C-alpha cells in the first residue's frame, strides 16, 4: 500500500504568485499543488495538499495526521516564528516531519531567523524556491522507505 503524506501550508501561501515574487517566485499556489500531486504520484505516495491561514486549523491538521498520515511536510509560513501551539502539536507526532521554506529565512529579517520547530523536526529545506517542495517529497519518500 502507498505511504500517505500530508503537505501543510501556513498563512498567505495561498497567495503565491501574487505575494513578494522576489522571495517566493512567480509560481501560483494552484500550480504548486499540481506539481506536488504529480511528483507524489510518480513516487507512489498518496498526498493531501492543504493550506490554512488559521493557527488552530493547522494544529488540527497535525493532530489528525497522527492516525492518517505516515509523514508531514510543513511550511508553517509566519507561524514558524511564533507558534508554540504548532510546535507542541508537531512534538506529539512521532513520524517523519520535514520543515520547508521557499525563501532562505536565515538571510532575511531577524524575526524570521528563528524557527520554533527546527529542533523537533526530522530535517529541513529552505532557500531553494518552490523546488524545495519537490525535494521534500523525494526526501520523505526516502525516509519512509528507510533509504536515507
Ligand atoms: C516562508 C518564510 C516565512 O518567514 C514567511 O512568513 C512565509 C513563507 C517561506 O516559505 O519562505 O510566509 O515560510
Amino acid at each position: 500500500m502507498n505511504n500517505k503524506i500530508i503537505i501543510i501550508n501556513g498563512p498567505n501561501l495561498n497567495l503565491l504568485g501574487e505575494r513578494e515574487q522576489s522571495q517566493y517566485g512567480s509560481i501560483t499556489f494552484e500550480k504548486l499543488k499540481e506539481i506536488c500531486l504529480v511528483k507524489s504520484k510518480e513516487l507512489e505516495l498518496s498526498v493531501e495538499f492543504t493550506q490554512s491561514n488559521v493557527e488552530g486549523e493547522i494544529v488540527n491538521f497535525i493532530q489528525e495526521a497522527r492516525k492518517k498520515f505516515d509523514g508531514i511536510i510543513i511550511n508553517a509560513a509566519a507561524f514558524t516564528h511564533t507558534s508554540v501551539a504548532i510546535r507542541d502539536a508537531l512534538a506529539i507526532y512521532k513520524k517523519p516531519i520535514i520543515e520547508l521554506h521557499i525563501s532562505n529565512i536565515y538571510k532575511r529579517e531577524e524575526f524570521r531567523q528563528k524557527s520554533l520547530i527546527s529542533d523537533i523536526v526530522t530535517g529541513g529545506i529552505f532557500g531553494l524556491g518552490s523546488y524545495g517542495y519537490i525535494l521534500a517529497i523525494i526526501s520523505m519518500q526516502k525516509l519512509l522507505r528507510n533509504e536515507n
Side-chain angles (χ1 to χ4, degrees):
M1 217 174 66
N2 285 358
N3 281 126
K4 295 194 184 77
I5 67 167
I6 182 166
I7 302 177
I8 300 174
N9 291 286
N12 301 307
L13 290 169
N14 54 315
L15 296 185
L16 283 178
E18 191 181 324
R19 68 184 293 212
E20 300 157 282
Q21 294 200 357
S22 59
Q23 293 295 347
Y24 306 116
S26 57
I27 194 167
T28 62
F29 184 71
E30 277 314 307
K31 186 70 192 166
L32 181 63
K33 177 176 178 176
E34 188 188 317
I35 289 170
C36 288
L37 297 188
V38 169
K39 190 66 192 177
S40 302
K41 197 168 175 198
E42 184 191 313
L43 297 180
E44 297 179 341
L45 290 170
S46 299
V47 68
E48 190 163 314
F49 195 88
T50 59
Q51 190 274 334
S52 178
N53 294 323
V54 180
E55 186 177 10
E57 259 172 32
I58 295 175
V59 170
N60 287 341
F61 288 152
I62 297 166
Q63 289 192 6
E64 287 158 17
R66 279 159 42 246
K67 297 230 162 64
K68 292 192 343 208
F69 296 101
D70 304 305
I72 294 176
I73 295 171
I74 182 162
N75 184 347
F79 291 144
T80 307
H81 319 296
T82 62
S83 178
V84 175
I86 289 174
R87 176 196 168 87
D88 287 350
L90 288 171
I92 301 166
Y93 188 79
K94 295 298 173 219
K95 296 176 240 180
I97 303 170
I98 296 177
E99 176 183 359
L100 175 63
H101 300 286
I102 297 170
S103 64
N104 182 348
I105 57 173
Y106 300 102
K107 64 174 191 193
R108 297 186 63 189
E109 302 96 322
E110 210 180 322
F111 64 85
R112 288 184 208 277
Q113 293 176 20
K114 173 80 189 155
S115 163
L116 296 189
I117 65 173
S118 290
D119 62 319
I120 56 157
V121 298
T122 311
I125 295 169
F126 57 88
L128 300 177
S130 52
Y131 190 65
Y133 281 78
I134 299 300
L135 295 174
I137 292 166
I138 295 169
S139 304
M140 183 58 80
Q141 189 222 33
K142 302 264 178 234
L143 285 168
L144 294 175
R145 293 191 177 177
N146 289 317
E147 289 172 3
N148 48 316

